[in-house]
């Protein structure tokens, strides 16, 4: 889904989709012009899932690999996850029990 794409549902504009975990850290690494600082930050960021795995906190390790999160501003605390923006959006729609992109 493109940021400027208009959707038929009035609630769709309240949905925010953003990268988290590994994808957010990787995007910061790739798009940072200061390579040395980017490598240092990526090494520090990768320490988080390693510490969680050593502590056997498998839910935190699993959540680190979510990719994108899609959240609605007013419809509760459920969110959609996926490795693409569209997949996160569809997962959120599944949690909301309907797909806001389809007119009905």
């Amino acid at each position: 889904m493109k940021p400027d794409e208009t959707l038929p549902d009035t609630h769709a504009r309240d949905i925010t989709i953003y990268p988290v975990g590994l994808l957010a850290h990787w995007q910061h690494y790739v798009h940072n012009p200061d390579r040395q600082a980017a490598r240092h930050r990526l090494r520090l960021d990768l320490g988080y899932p390693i510490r969680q795995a050593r502590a056997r906190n498998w839910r935190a390790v699993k959540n680190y690999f979510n990719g994108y999160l899609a959240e609605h501003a007013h419809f509760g605390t459920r969110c959609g996850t996926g490795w693409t923006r569209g997949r996160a959006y569809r997962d959120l729609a599944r949690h909301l029990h309907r797909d806001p992109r389809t007119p009905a």
Side-chain angles (χ1 to χ4, degrees):
M1 184 176 78
K2 297 180 180 86
D4 59 346
E5 183 179 349
T6 59
L7 300 172
D9 193 356
T10 58
H11 299 291
R13 69 175 162 263
D14 296 333
I15 294 175
T16 306
I17 303 173
Y18 54 93
V20 293
L22 179 65
L23 185 61
H25 295 154
W26 180 253
Q27 285 182 354
H28 180 268
Y29 173 73
V30 169
H31 297 295
N32 191 348
D34 184 3
R35 303 314 295 163
Q36 183 178 4
R39 273 194 304 275
H40 180 69
R41 169 121 186 241
L42 183 63
R43 274 189 75 202
L44 290 176
D45 291 340
L46 290 177
Y48 172 76
I50 293 169
R51 284 191 308 274
Q52 296 304 318
R54 287 182 181 154
R56 291 182 165 65
N57 186 357
W58 302 118
R59 182 174 293 199
V61 174
K62 179 184 83 70
N63 288 339
Y64 184 74
F65 294 100
N66 277 342
Y68 285 99
L69 281 185
E71 293 181 323
H72 194 281
H74 309 292
F75 287 159
T77 58
R78 297 295 304 260
C79 64
T81 63
W83 273 101
T84 63
R85 295 172 59 84
R87 176 63 186 128
Y89 184 84
R90 287 188 301 275
D91 193 41
L92 175 65
R94 184 179 59 84
H95 290 308
L96 297 176
H97 300 292
R98 64 185 179 88
D99 190 348
R101 293 182 296 178
T102 60

